[in-house]
């Protein structure tokens, strides 16, 4: 297992992160999985044996049950893992039970610590944008929690590039803790992050954690043109993340991944994950699984090296259109591109 530095922090994390959205299986999360404590221990055993050192969860996953299961599963081995969780989503019906206000962040952190059964959270992430609460309030609350020792590092998730840059600017002006990472959706099937989020990461020195790097199983190799989707697919339920806007292009991507996988004797899932790990700015992939076999296969992608030609084939079949102003920049500004610019235009 390779370990990469998380942004400008001194923290090193494994290129694979254990995702726990499947833990609990309550409410709408039953469409994703229903892993109990015993199975969670087995899955975490598999991760630790293969060098994974980061476990990612969120308060909203099964309304806190995921955090509780993680806490039970890591008892006696807390020092072997880094714990990441998130705050922002609704955790009740009250007017202050969601968002990134000081009230919700501080209460959310205390609740997460209690459910996890730990005295600190290693990476505390804001789960989504809150356009109502001033960023100064959000960042000051996070800064206070860091200074009190309740969290070690902070990150954001699902921000747009201007949200991210505004937050970094406010941190600089107010001398409060700075985000060290962003957790985003980025796959062969959905490469929108390459327009601005990836360049911003390179330019500003953040780390990237990728959620649902197999696009909810769409890139597992089980979704093929002319074949029925697996009965266990979450996309046959009300779960619609990520959306599929071009089904024929998805099938084309999967066919190339399957072909490359067959050449290596590995799954299309491993190929899709290995492609991501080779992309600029990517620190770690958050992989979940319903069982140990699936998890073992996904983690093996950390050892797969694709050739330059294979990466180029995958790049070509999955390439997003070059939107404005990027096509204009390629045409008129290609003589003076920064390393961040070249992640898209190089």
């Amino acid at each position: 297992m390779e370990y990469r530095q998380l942004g400008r922090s001194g923290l090193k994390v494994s290129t694979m992160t254990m995702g726990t959205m499947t833990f609990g299986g309550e409410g709408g999360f039953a469409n994703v999985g229903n892993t109990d404590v015993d199975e969670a221990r087995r899955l975490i055993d598999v991760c630790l044996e293969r060098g994974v050192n980061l476990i990612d969860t969120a308060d909203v996953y099964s309304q806190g049950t995921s955090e509780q299961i993680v806490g039970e599963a890591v008892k006696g081995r807390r020092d072997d893992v880094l714990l990441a969780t998130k705050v922002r989503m609704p955790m009740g019906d009250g007017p202050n039970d969601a968002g990134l206000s000081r009230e919700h962040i501080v209460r959310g952190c205390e609740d997460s610590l209690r459910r996890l059964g730990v005295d600190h959270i290693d990476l505390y992430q804001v789960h989504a944008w809150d356009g109502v609460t001033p960023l100064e309030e959000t960042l000051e609350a996070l800064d206070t929690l860091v200074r009190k020792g309740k969290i070690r590092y902070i990150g954001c998730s699902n921000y747009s590039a201007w949200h991210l840059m505004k937050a970094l600017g406010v941190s600089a002006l107010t001398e409060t803790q700075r985000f060290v990472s962003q957790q985003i959706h980025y796959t062969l099937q959905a490469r929108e992050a390459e327009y601005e989020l990836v360049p911003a990461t390179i330019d500003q020195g953040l780390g990237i954690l990728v959620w649902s790097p197999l696009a909810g199983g769409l890139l597992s190799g089980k979704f093929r043109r002319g074949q029925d989707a697996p009965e266990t697919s979450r996309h046959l339920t009300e779960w619609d993340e990520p959306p599929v806007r071009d089904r024929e292009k998805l099938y084309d991507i999967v066919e190339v991944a399957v072909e490359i996988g067959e050449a290596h004797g590995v799954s299309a899932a491993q190929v899709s994950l290995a492609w991501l790990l080779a992309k600029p700015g990517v620190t770690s992939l958050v992989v979940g699984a319903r069982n140990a076999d699936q998890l073992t296969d996904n983690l093996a992608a950390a050892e797969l090296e694709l050739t330059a030609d294979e990466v180029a084939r995958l790049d070509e079949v999955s390439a997003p259109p070059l939107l404005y102003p990027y096509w204009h920049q390629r045409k008129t500004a290609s003589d003076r591109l920064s390393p961040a610019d070249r992640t898209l235009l190089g």
Side-chain angles (χ1 to χ4, degrees), residues 301-315:
E303 303 172 6
L304 176 62
E305 292 189 18
L306 302 176
T307 68
D309 287 343
E310 289 167 341
V311 171
R313 284 186 65 195
L314 291 165
D315 284 345

Side-chain angles (χ1 to χ4, degrees), residues 281-298:
V282 172
T283 308
S284 186
L285 311 182
V286 182
V287 294
R290 294 175 183 264
N291 55 63
D293 289 341
Q294 189 181 69
L295 180 60
T296 299
D297 185 75
N298 289 344

